[in-house]
Amino acid sequence: MRTAFGFEIGDATLDRKITLTYIGFRDKKEMGKPFVVQLPDSDVITQPMAVFYGVGKEDSIMVDRLSRNKDGKVILDSNGAVAGGELYDFLGMKAAHNAEMTEDGIPIPPGVTLPLNVHAYYLEQGKLPDGLYAEIDLQIRKLEEIVGKEFGNPDNPLLNSVRGCPRITMPGMMATILNLGITPDIVKGLEKITGNKRFAYDTYRRFIDMFSDTLFWVPHERFEKVFQDVKNTWSIENDLDLTGSHMETIAREYLKLVKDSGNQIPYDPKEQLDLAIKAVFMSAYLPQAVEYMELNNLMGKSGNTITIMPMVYGNIGEDSGTGVSFTRNPNTGENKLFGNFLLNAQGEDVVAGIRTPLPLEKLAELFPDLYKQLILAGKKLEKRYKDMQENEWTIEKRKLYFLQTRTEERTALASLIIATDLYSEKIIDEKELVERVFPNEIDVLLHPVFDPKSEKKVLGKGTGASPGDVSGIIALTPGYAKELYQRGKKVILVRRETSPEDVGGMSASKGILTKIGGPTSHAAVVGRGMNKSVVCGYGDSLEIYEGNNSNRGYILINGVKLTEGEETSTNMLSLCGSTGEVIKGEVPTIESIIAQTAIGIAKQLIGQNQTEEDRAQIRFAEEHKNSKLYRAFNEYLEICKKHSKLGVRANADTPLDAAVAIEFGAEGIGLARTEHMFFQGSKTDAIRKFIFGYTEQMKTDGLAEMKQYHKEDFKGMFKVMDNFPVTIRLLDPPLEEFTFPDNDAINRFAEQLVTHYGGDRDGVRERISQQMKSLHEINPMLGCRGNRLSVMYPKLIEAQVSGIIEAAYELKKDSYNPIVEIMIPVANCAGEIKYTREEAEKVIEKVKARYEGVNVEYKIGTMIELPGAALTADRIAGEADFFSFGTNDLTQATLGISRDDGGKFISQYTQMFYNHKDPFVTLDVERVGRLMQICVKEGRAVKPGLKIGICGEHGGDPASVEFCHKIGLNYVSCSPYRVAVAIVAVAHANLGIEHTRR
Amino acid sequence: MRTAFGFEIGDATLDRKITLTYIGFRDKKEMGKPFVVQLPDSDVITQPMAVFYGVGKEDSIMVDRLSRNKDGKVILDSNGAVAGGELYDFLGMKAAHNAEMTEDGIPIPPGVTLPLNVHAYYLEQGKLPDGLYAEIDLQIRKLEEIVGKEFGNPDNPLLNSVRGCPRITMPGMMATILNLGITPDIVKGLEKITGNKRFAYDTYRRFIDMFSDTLFWVPHERFEKVFQDVKNTWSIENDLDLTGSHMETIAREYLKLVKDSGNQIPYDPKEQLDLAIKAVFMSAYLPQAVEYMELNNLMGKSGNTITIMPMVYGNIGEDSGTGVSFTRNPNTGENKLFGNFLLNAQGEDVVAGIRTPLPLEKLAELFPDLYKQLILAGKKLEKRYKDMQENEWTIEKRKLYFLQTRTEERTALASLIIATDLYSEKIIDEKELVERVFPNEIDVLLHPVFDPKSEKKVLGKGTGASPGDVSGIIALTPGYAKELYQRGKKVILVRRETSPEDVGGMSASKGILTKIGGPTSHAAVVGRGMNKSVVCGYGDSLEIYEGNNSNRGYILINGVKLTEGEETSTNMLSLCGSTGEVIKGEVPTIESIIAQTAIGIAKQLIGQNQTEEDRAQIRFAEEHKNSKLYRAFNEYLEICKKHSKLGVRANADTPLDAAVAIEFGAEGIGLARTEHMFFQGSKTDAIRKFIFGYTEQMKTDGLAEMKQYHKEDFKGMFKVMDNFPVTIRLLDPPLEEFTFPDNDAINRFAEQLVTHYGGDRDGVRERISQQMKSLHEINPMLGCRGNRLSVMYPKLIEAQVSGIIEAAYELKKDSYNPIVEIMIPVANCAGEIKYTREEAEKVIEKVKARYEGVNVEYKIGTMIELPGAALTADRIAGEADFFSFGTNDLTQATLGISRDDGGKFISQYTQMFYNHKDPFVTLDVERVGRLMQICVKEGRAVKPGLKIGICGEHGGDPASVEFCHKIGLNYVSCSPYRVAVAIVAVAHANLGIEHTRR
């Protein structure tokens, strides 16, 4: 029978497109109300309904009905229509890899896969296609032939696993049912054939649990409780000590549980299969899967398949078992097989983290041949998939069967090390190397670490499963974690173990601590993918007491009680995801190793070695700058820069920051905030003298001091940034920001004025207070700031510009090459830019006249940070040498949200209305981005090639950087510590890499 | 010789366009640095260089070289190329009118006009065209022929006036030189021929003064001083008592003054003419003229001509004189000749307001025939120009000569009365009537007047020359007036007299008081055009002492000293421009007569007649509603509405305001601010209970009270607005606005809570204070307000919407027809509108269910007041039934200027960068307007015919209304008292009337 979807395969004219309609449920309670999302049209056409892969009797490899063309793309076999594509576009990632392992000669059971369109058809039509089961029957017969067992035959039963296989991996999200096909009759047959009652009933009870959990929503926890009760009844500690009778009892109790829930497992294996297929398909749309897809930007990009695979039994005795291995260490990147296993167990025992498994070194001792087989297979798979692989496998009576291979999550550290190693090993090329590390992984590598000098109240140690040094408030449920997150809190989620339903809460947390489970447990794998700090398997010294409506929950950890939701040093918790340390209270952090190294190098560069701390940091840099990590880091960034179009600059206000930025690869300063220079120590008094001075003399003196400070500061900056452009923003904040914190400060300043200029103390204090009042604004963000200061107080232009430009001239005279870019902030029309520009140019001309024969290159440009400016870019372009988007303010004005006050509602808006993207973190493309596009287009229409950058916080956000690349900016500028992140983002944007998965 | 601009007239192929390049000087000191503005291309081509008009010897009318086509347009005569246009487009307004008076047989001396392109050529080429003087000679010969005198012949001298004539009238701005052609020889000849030495030397000294003031910038004041000195020397009070010898002495002293200034008046009349022509052309670009053109939006729209006219002499004896008359009263609109004159004087004496002239009634006594001639000519001119005319004329030996006619400025009251009268007299039609009154004139008629019940310290009385009841701080110089204005102050400018150089300062003032000059003086005429309150000719009881660097100036007015710049009741000044009263201190104002009448009618309508005040107001309305003024006002508005496309609604929060709006012609409420309802008395406590209540019960009670208040308030509103739509805006301000003004208020409220709900007084007070702190925002304008409140506190939606909608249902049940439009404020994305809309609809459905068979029409729409909303109009249109631009907030966000704090810099920006337009008064079309256009276009692309209005302050601003009309809005909404202004603006926009002049 050669039909699929009701028409014959091979009739190429019947290529109909199926529109994938996405049906999901946000909440189990809402299962009755599916929500529908339109997915992009599928290009997959006229596929067969079931594809078989496996090794035939004569060792011939069979991938039924599919074959590859010369480009390695998969096409339907001679009976089907042509449809080139990747194998996983037909079979889903997991089944595709299994088929490919079969091709590669790696031992793996055969399988039958229902490809993507079967699922699509099911969603679209609400039923499975006609003829599907006939097709499945046909294919299962091949499985029976190969393994020599028969589906439904008690005398020689074939049991199958039914595995959900999404097109793109979603670890643990889709249901899997093992041991399907077992019935009361067959369990007896199984006992008889194997003579192993324990195995037979263990297999049976596993099936009952999984099937009922998936089909009838009888929670696994209830089965688990029954299991524990039986163990308690017989006082049995270890599962392995349970006998066949125990298992029989357990299976009977399990059946009772199912019956009590009002359900009945069919006795017919084919009926079991029918229900299982439907349930596995639907599992892709359970709330946790929807949440995962949303978090990982997979909505509308997935689609699912199902693979039916004969069981191999790891639970058939002490010469059997099951394990998970990584071809390289996913925590450190080390090129060494890493993983763990359990004897006499089935797969889910390891992955679910229920029993704490053994390390692979133990396997090497017990079964050295199998260990070697694992290593060799791993290397082969790495070559095919060009990346570190995670493998699940089962040993049935000393024979190794692979069950799956996949490219698995890893820590940021491992990501960088593995990628650069693969590049050295010539497994991947430059572009692939760039693709392989994600901008936020570089960010994580630069995350702060606990200050080693701080005192830490270490409570104990679990398994460090995903690095990160974090502190936060305790939450004991995912819901509460999300709530705290929305209130702007840092959260540590503490759970017995995590499950797919916890994903949202994990995402909202900085760190995750679990009681049970090892480095391959759900918490570890998922937390690693989210770049969370994870400490797992803390053990029994951690007791968790969840709260209820009237009482807060708490934990006892080595006897210390910590209450959830309390933001106090006695209740907060800190985790070190590398060492596994769990610490009471909040621990201060310092820069990461990479950052510290860069700072040390920068200090050496600018000759800042006066204090012991400076010297210690320089020594630290000496030690670490040739480390594998630091070298990998630099090598990677260098290659990224080779593949970039956008430049990356830094926002820096001090020579040290500038030097750090250079060390990280910045190509200039995109934003030097002059007001920050006046916030330092006594420099504030200079500008205060201008603001609060009540005679011309005081004001003139204040301006002269300001100028002098600028001159000194910029000489320092220009030296470090020799030959690099330095964009200097004139004063931005309202003058109110320079007022006094308290009366003491007023008195001190008044005293200073009186000492220098004479006058009456009280009178002076009164004048200062009056002036403070008159400076007060109700909405300072929309008040007298930025260029408005220059317009209202033109003498500020003279003080600032002459300081800056004299610094440049003096250095130029000394053979440096300062490149000065003066930037006008908070302007909304061309006229005011022209005004300030002309005033500044007068000042520059005057300075120039004093340095004969010297000429400093300079530009005068403006920030675009008000919608009004973006909308008159054509006119402004006539007055400005460059634009720089100040996207913080631009976002603020466009959305009408104050960054200072937004906290109250912005997280609510982010979740409810902004697609979970905080517009102050990731550019609001639709609105703010649109203004930027208008501005770029209209500005360059007047002045082709106009240089345009961005210097808001968004300049370091990968998604925003991608947008900046798209609209043709010249550079992004961000904080020195994000320069490296931006460099990666810029390269990724240039190579068009989509960040769907992380 | 038939050439102009160097080529022969008649050669039609040589039609070159001259680009008018505008050259002006902002400041006399900057005369060396002209600034250049490109003017639109002139369509005027191949014009002759000099045009003659006049009545020939045989009474044949000659307008040389120009003739009219059948449409009345002017074309060049048979020798010239065809170039249809209005006469003033060739000759300038003044000369064109003179030519037309000649056509109409009104006695007027002939003239020779150098048309617009001569001036354009002069500006472009920097020299006068070749052959110009030959052409002038040719034409002057015609003048000589008609008047029987000879230019430059001492025995029978022709003296001329050389008058600047702008294309569009600019009163007093362009220079005029009288008596040109007089020389030492000629003055003697003049004496000999006339036997009148006084006349000869008076004429001479006038020429010396005017010529030197204009050419050499020897200030007129210096001549005036010499004149006074001579009078003092001989103890002569009255000018008329000066003899011929006196005049000769004065002339000699004048010549000395000129010599001392380093200048020399040419003895050759032709040389005088050459210099005069150039100086008069340049006078159009002196600072005061530039300022006038900027103020009146004339920049680039004018262009100038010069007319050479034989002198007629009003200073030749007691049977001669000079005067100014208006065909109707420019203050009241009364249809009666109005004006004044001086005997034995020349024209400038009356206009400059130097001698206080006699009323026309005196002329009727002295020369009844001439008075009658004036009336008849006036009526003839009114028919031609379809408007009230101002005429200048001279009587030379009992013979009347008109010198000019023009449509002159008038008060707002006169404007309305004259226009409606002309309409009744069928001189103008409906459209012309609409055009004739300007929106801001209607505004002036609604301006407040002094409260008759307030006590007024009347200092004295001058001539009420332009009505308006105003108070302000005194400024004695135009510069200081501008400075005070920029600081946001109300200013009264006090001057001896005003001159064209004062125009900027006058514009910055609310009122103008002068010591000398009558109702046709510069202060009166210009102040009237600016709708300022003007009291002139106060007389000697006003002494003005201008200040200097160390001392403030002051005035003594009837002995009372008032200091300039002082904002205190003892130093401020009030003017009543109708009665001429000058009052010490600030006088409280009440609504104008029209407004009071409307309020009385409104009170009667809503039955508000409980208090004596109410009843008095209703009586007032009864008295005034049939007055000429109120009838004219209503008639005019009705006709405006017939010629409108845009609707006009009102912003109103009370039934009384709503009723006033209806009386003024509003078609609905465009904005009812629900928060204003809670600002009234105890209603604030309801919302406070919700905000500060710390138990669910308190909050619930607060919400219930809020709902109840809304229900009552809206029943009142809906009754008044039966059948009219009422747009109700949900809560807009941050909750902080409902906090307490002081501790007493907190205590009172705490007491109230404790009384109702129990609890500890101190604890409650503490909670309230804490909550106040937590509500505080740094930038409340960008904080938790508008729809953010609905999102964060969804129960507010329920309370507000249920109150509103229940009110509507109850009235509908009682056969009213409420039309409810609920409006969501401060939203920036479609999602949040959808959310609030759905929540509101749930509430509405619930209410609806309780009123069986009743159905209230409702819409739910949104304000567009953030750039982000305007930029996603397509999506928002999917969720909203209507849009309403909140242009206050939209301007604020687009330009990044807080209205609360902008005062500090916004007037500076308005002047320096915003073309003198405050963007919070007149829409910033380029930026805010662009966003509006995007929004309208994209919103309607999704939802064709989407109803869009505007409810910001701009809704009542004529220029902004014009823009709203242009982009196709459906209605504007403004405060009730601006509804009438908006109705006019809307009609004007529809008829495409440009408001260039006012």
Side-chain angles (χ1 to χ4, degrees), chain A residues 774 779 788 828 832 896 901 904 909 927 930 938, chain B residues 774 779 788 828 832 868 896 901 904 909 927 930 938:
Chain A
S774 89
N779 293 286
R788 292 158 195 179
N828 68 28
E832 60 171 317
D901 309 305
K904 286 194 182 154
Y909 267 64
R927 290 164 292 182
R930 182 171 178 190
E938 300 183 1
Chain B
S774 89
N779 292 287
R788 293 159 195 178
N828 67 29
E832 60 171 316
D901 308 305
K904 286 193 182 155
Y909 267 64
R927 291 164 292 183
R930 182 172 178 189
E938 299 183 4

mmCIF file of all heavy atoms in Angstrom, chain A residues 774 779 788 828 832 896 901 904 909 927 930 938, chain B residues 774 779 788 828 832 868 896 901 904 909 927 930 938:
data_model
loop_
_atom_site.group_PDB
_atom_site.id
_atom_site.type_symbol
_atom_site.label_atom_id
_atom_site.label_comp_id
_atom_site.label_asym_id
_atom_site.label_seq_id
_atom_site.Cartn_x
_atom_site.Cartn_y
_atom_site.Cartn_z
ATOM 1 N N SER A 774 15.030 76.707 42.940
ATOM 2 C CA SER A 774 14.666 77.185 41.604
ATOM 3 C C SER A 774 15.138 76.198 40.535
ATOM 4 O O SER A 774 14.641 76.206 39.413
ATOM 5 C CB SER A 774 15.199 78.587 41.358
ATOM 6 O OG SER A 774 16.488 78.524 40.820
ATOM 7 N N ASN A 779 9.530 67.205 36.221
ATOM 8 C CA ASN A 779 9.895 66.101 35.338
ATOM 9 C C ASN A 779 11.286 66.372 34.762
ATOM 10 O O ASN A 779 11.424 66.780 33.614
ATOM 11 C CB ASN A 779 8.891 65.972 34.189
ATOM 12 C CG ASN A 779 7.534 65.534 34.677
ATOM 13 O OD1 ASN A 779 7.334 64.369 35.022
ATOM 14 N ND2 ASN A 779 6.603 66.470 34.733
ATOM 15 N N ARG A 788 19.928 72.048 26.040
ATOM 16 C CA ARG A 788 19.219 73.196 26.611
ATOM 17 C C ARG A 788 20.126 73.959 27.569
ATOM 18 O O ARG A 788 20.013 75.179 27.703
ATOM 19 C CB ARG A 788 17.961 72.707 27.331
ATOM 20 C CG ARG A 788 16.963 72.155 26.329
ATOM 21 C CD ARG A 788 15.952 71.207 26.903
ATOM 22 N NE ARG A 788 15.306 70.482 25.814
ATOM 23 C CZ ARG A 788 14.391 69.565 25.961
ATOM 24 N NH1 ARG A 788 13.976 69.214 27.172
ATOM 25 N NH2 ARG A 788 13.885 68.961 24.918
ATOM 26 N N ASN A 828 16.299 68.692 19.868
ATOM 27 C CA ASN A 828 15.147 68.252 19.088
ATOM 28 C C ASN A 828 14.966 68.979 17.768
ATOM 29 O O ASN A 828 14.010 68.727 17.058
ATOM 30 C CB ASN A 828 13.857 68.255 19.916
ATOM 31 C CG ASN A 828 13.402 69.638 20.299
ATOM 32 O OD1 ASN A 828 13.669 70.612 19.599
ATOM 33 N ND2 ASN A 828 12.695 69.739 21.405
ATOM 34 N N GLU A 832 18.969 74.404 17.040
ATOM 35 C CA GLU A 832 19.736 74.441 18.279
ATOM 36 C C GLU A 832 21.088 73.760 18.116
ATOM 37 O O GLU A 832 22.055 74.105 18.792
ATOM 38 C CB GLU A 832 18.946 73.847 19.453
ATOM 39 C CG GLU A 832 18.538 72.405 19.284
ATOM 40 C CD GLU A 832 17.957 71.841 20.590
ATOM 41 O OE1 GLU A 832 18.515 72.097 21.660
ATOM 42 O OE2 GLU A 832 16.932 71.141 20.520
ATOM 43 N N GLY A 896 6.932 56.869 26.319
ATOM 44 C CA GLY A 896 6.408 57.639 27.445
ATOM 45 C C GLY A 896 6.625 56.954 28.779
ATOM 46 O O GLY A 896 5.790 57.031 29.673
ATOM 47 N N ASP A 901 11.054 55.550 36.924
ATOM 48 C CA ASP A 901 9.815 55.173 37.608
ATOM 49 C C ASP A 901 9.165 53.949 36.992
ATOM 50 O O ASP A 901 8.220 53.399 37.534
ATOM 51 C CB ASP A 901 8.823 56.335 37.538
ATOM 52 C CG ASP A 901 9.445 57.636 38.007
ATOM 53 O OD1 ASP A 901 9.956 57.626 39.139
ATOM 54 O OD2 ASP A 901 9.445 58.610 37.267
ATOM 55 N N LYS A 904 7.681 50.222 38.346
ATOM 56 C CA LYS A 904 6.382 49.894 38.909
ATOM 57 C C LYS A 904 5.495 49.129 37.942
ATOM 58 O O LYS A 904 4.685 48.331 38.334
ATOM 59 C CB LYS A 904 5.666 51.176 39.324
ATOM 60 C CG LYS A 904 6.250 51.769 40.579
ATOM 61 C CD LYS A 904 5.328 52.803 41.149
ATOM 62 C CE LYS A 904 5.974 53.413 42.403
ATOM 63 N NZ LYS A 904 5.521 54.738 42.663
ATOM 64 N N TYR A 909 4.094 45.319 31.856
ATOM 65 C CA TYR A 909 3.906 45.596 30.429
ATOM 66 C C TYR A 909 4.761 44.663 29.578
ATOM 67 O O TYR A 909 4.336 44.202 28.529
ATOM 68 C CB TYR A 909 4.237 47.061 30.124
ATOM 69 C CG TYR A 909 3.018 47.957 30.181
ATOM 70 C CD1 TYR A 909 2.328 48.127 31.376
ATOM 71 C CD2 TYR A 909 2.530 48.581 29.051
ATOM 72 C CE1 TYR A 909 1.206 48.913 31.440
ATOM 73 C CE2 TYR A 909 1.405 49.383 29.098
ATOM 74 C CZ TYR A 909 0.739 49.550 30.302
ATOM 75 O OH TYR A 909 -0.371 50.325 30.355
ATOM 76 N N ARG A 927 8.608 50.535 17.124
ATOM 77 C CA ARG A 927 8.364 51.954 17.327
ATOM 78 C C ARG A 927 9.672 52.744 17.395
ATOM 79 O O ARG A 927 9.945 53.580 16.537
ATOM 80 C CB ARG A 927 7.510 52.134 18.569
ATOM 81 C CG ARG A 927 6.104 51.627 18.296
ATOM 82 C CD ARG A 927 5.304 51.407 19.530
ATOM 83 N NE ARG A 927 5.835 50.297 20.312
ATOM 84 C CZ ARG A 927 5.307 49.861 21.437
ATOM 85 N NH1 ARG A 927 4.251 50.465 21.918
ATOM 86 N NH2 ARG A 927 5.815 48.841 22.064
ATOM 87 N N ARG A 930 11.587 52.035 14.360
ATOM 88 C CA ARG A 930 11.053 52.705 13.178
ATOM 89 C C ARG A 930 11.547 54.143 13.092
ATOM 90 O O ARG A 930 11.921 54.632 12.021
ATOM 91 C CB ARG A 930 9.525 52.690 13.223
ATOM 92 C CG ARG A 930 8.912 53.326 12.016
ATOM 93 C CD ARG A 930 7.429 53.111 11.962
ATOM 94 N NE ARG A 930 6.862 53.776 10.802
ATOM 95 C CZ ARG A 930 5.563 53.910 10.607
ATOM 96 N NH1 ARG A 930 4.711 53.390 11.478
ATOM 97 N NH2 ARG A 930 5.123 54.536 9.546
ATOM 98 N N GLU A 938 16.532 59.362 6.204
ATOM 99 C CA GLU A 938 16.369 60.758 5.828
ATOM 100 C C GLU A 938 17.637 61.566 6.098
ATOM 101 O O GLU A 938 17.927 62.525 5.394
ATOM 102 C CB GLU A 938 15.142 61.349 6.535
ATOM 103 C CG GLU A 938 13.903 60.572 6.118
ATOM 104 C CD GLU A 938 12.587 61.104 6.684
ATOM 105 O OE1 GLU A 938 12.599 62.107 7.415
ATOM 106 O OE2 GLU A 938 11.550 60.477 6.381
ATOM 107 N N SER B 774 5.653 55.863 48.524
ATOM 108 C CA SER B 774 5.818 54.846 47.492
ATOM 109 C C SER B 774 5.158 55.262 46.183
ATOM 110 O O SER B 774 5.490 54.749 45.120
ATOM 111 C CB SER B 774 5.303 53.495 47.975
ATOM 112 O OG SER B 774 3.942 53.369 47.683
ATOM 113 N N ASN B 779 9.745 61.271 37.586
ATOM 114 C CA ASN B 779 9.205 61.892 36.367
ATOM 115 C C ASN B 779 7.757 61.446 36.188
ATOM 116 O O ASN B 779 7.471 60.563 35.375
ATOM 117 C CB ASN B 779 10.029 61.477 35.143
ATOM 118 C CG ASN B 779 11.424 62.052 35.177
ATOM 119 O OD1 ASN B 779 11.618 63.232 34.957
ATOM 120 N ND2 ASN B 779 12.392 61.206 35.490
ATOM 121 N N ARG B 788 -1.928 52.864 32.253
ATOM 122 C CA ARG B 788 -1.096 52.059 33.159
ATOM 123 C C ARG B 788 -1.824 51.814 34.474
ATOM 124 O O ARG B 788 -1.650 50.789 35.109
ATOM 125 C CB ARG B 788 0.236 52.768 33.379
ATOM 126 C CG ARG B 788 1.039 52.785 32.100
ATOM 127 C CD ARG B 788 2.107 53.845 32.043
ATOM 128 N NE ARG B 788 2.537 53.989 30.655
ATOM 129 C CZ ARG B 788 3.440 54.849 30.237
ATOM 130 N NH1 ARG B 788 4.013 55.673 31.105
ATOM 131 N NH2 ARG B 788 3.751 54.905 28.967
ATOM 132 N N ASN B 828 0.590 53.053 24.759
ATOM 133 C CA ASN B 828 1.593 53.075 23.697
ATOM 134 C C ASN B 828 1.590 51.840 22.807
ATOM 135 O O ASN B 828 2.425 51.722 21.916
ATOM 136 C CB ASN B 828 2.998 53.378 24.237
ATOM 137 C CG ASN B 828 3.542 52.278 25.117
ATOM 138 O OD1 ASN B 828 3.204 51.108 24.965
ATOM 139 N ND2 ASN B 828 4.406 52.648 26.040
ATOM 140 N N GLU B 832 -2.294 46.783 25.138
ATOM 141 C CA GLU B 832 -2.857 47.313 26.377
ATOM 142 C C GLU B 832 -4.250 47.906 26.144
ATOM 143 O O GLU B 832 -5.087 47.912 27.037
ATOM 144 C CB GLU B 832 -1.925 48.329 27.036
ATOM 145 C CG GLU B 832 -1.590 49.537 26.206
ATOM 146 C CD GLU B 832 -0.830 50.597 27.028
ATOM 147 O OE1 GLU B 832 -1.223 50.866 28.167
ATOM 148 O OE2 GLU B 832 0.160 51.139 26.510
ATOM 149 N N GLY B 868 5.009 56.419 20.395
ATOM 150 C CA GLY B 868 4.900 54.976 20.197
ATOM 151 C C GLY B 868 3.516 54.548 19.730
ATOM 152 O O GLY B 868 3.374 53.603 18.954
ATOM 153 N N GLY B 896 10.417 66.148 23.906
ATOM 154 C CA GLY B 896 11.138 65.920 25.165
ATOM 155 C C GLY B 896 11.103 67.129 26.074
ATOM 156 O O GLY B 896 12.067 67.432 26.766
ATOM 157 N N ASP B 901 7.931 72.116 33.360
ATOM 158 C CA ASP B 901 9.244 72.703 33.617
ATOM 159 C C ASP B 901 9.756 73.516 32.438
ATOM 160 O O ASP B 901 10.758 74.194 32.533
ATOM 161 C CB ASP B 901 10.251 71.587 33.912
ATOM 162 C CG ASP B 901 9.736 70.664 34.988
ATOM 163 O OD1 ASP B 901 9.412 71.170 36.060
ATOM 164 O OD2 ASP B 901 9.661 69.447 34.746
ATOM 165 N N LYS B 904 11.306 77.403 31.805
ATOM 166 C CA LYS B 904 12.670 77.884 31.968
ATOM 167 C C LYS B 904 13.367 78.121 30.638
ATOM 168 O O LYS B 904 14.217 78.960 30.524
ATOM 169 C CB LYS B 904 13.482 76.874 32.781
ATOM 170 C CG LYS B 904 13.112 76.912 34.241
ATOM 171 C CD LYS B 904 14.129 76.158 35.065
ATOM 172 C CE LYS B 904 13.705 76.159 36.519
ATOM 173 N NZ LYS B 904 14.240 75.037 37.244
ATOM 174 N N TYR B 909 13.680 78.843 23.353
ATOM 175 C CA TYR B 909 13.656 77.976 22.177
ATOM 176 C C TYR B 909 12.652 78.469 21.144
ATOM 177 O O TYR B 909 12.910 78.434 19.952
ATOM 178 C CB TYR B 909 13.334 76.531 22.600
ATOM 179 C CG TYR B 909 14.572 75.711 22.847
ATOM 180 C CD1 TYR B 909 15.437 76.052 23.880
ATOM 181 C CD2 TYR B 909 14.898 74.632 22.045
ATOM 182 C CE1 TYR B 909 16.583 75.327 24.114
ATOM 183 C CE2 TYR B 909 16.048 73.894 22.263
ATOM 184 C CZ TYR B 909 16.886 74.236 23.297
ATOM 185 O OH TYR B 909 18.027 73.515 23.514
ATOM 186 N N ARG B 927 7.148 67.905 13.249
ATOM 187 C CA ARG B 927 7.458 66.708 14.014
ATOM 188 C C ARG B 927 6.213 66.079 14.616
ATOM 189 O O ARG B 927 5.822 64.970 14.274
ATOM 190 C CB ARG B 927 8.518 67.045 15.063
ATOM 191 C CG ARG B 927 9.830 67.333 14.353
ATOM 192 C CD ARG B 927 10.808 68.034 15.238
ATOM 193 N NE ARG B 927 10.359 69.396 15.537
ATOM 194 C CZ ARG B 927 11.054 70.247 16.250
ATOM 195 N NH1 ARG B 927 12.205 69.877 16.778
ATOM 196 N NH2 ARG B 927 10.617 71.458 16.467
ATOM 197 N N ARG B 930 3.823 65.472 11.914
ATOM 198 C CA ARG B 930 4.202 64.335 11.072
ATOM 199 C C ARG B 930 3.745 63.019 11.704
ATOM 200 O O ARG B 930 3.223 62.137 11.027
ATOM 201 C CB ARG B 930 5.711 64.327 10.866
ATOM 202 C CG ARG B 930 6.144 63.207 9.964
ATOM 203 C CD ARG B 930 7.597 63.317 9.612
ATOM 204 N NE ARG B 930 8.001 62.206 8.780
ATOM 205 C CZ ARG B 930 9.254 61.953 8.469
ATOM 206 N NH1 ARG B 930 10.219 62.737 8.907
ATOM 207 N NH2 ARG B 930 9.557 60.916 7.714
ATOM 208 N N GLU B 938 -2.062 55.526 8.606
ATOM 209 C CA GLU B 938 -1.915 54.094 8.858
ATOM 210 C C GLU B 938 -3.103 53.538 9.639
ATOM 211 O O GLU B 938 -3.477 52.385 9.471
ATOM 212 C CB GLU B 938 -0.568 53.838 9.557
ATOM 213 C CG GLU B 938 0.567 54.296 8.652
ATOM 214 C CD GLU B 938 1.968 54.033 9.186
ATOM 215 O OE1 GLU B 938 2.103 53.414 10.263
ATOM 216 O OE2 GLU B 938 2.933 54.436 8.505
#
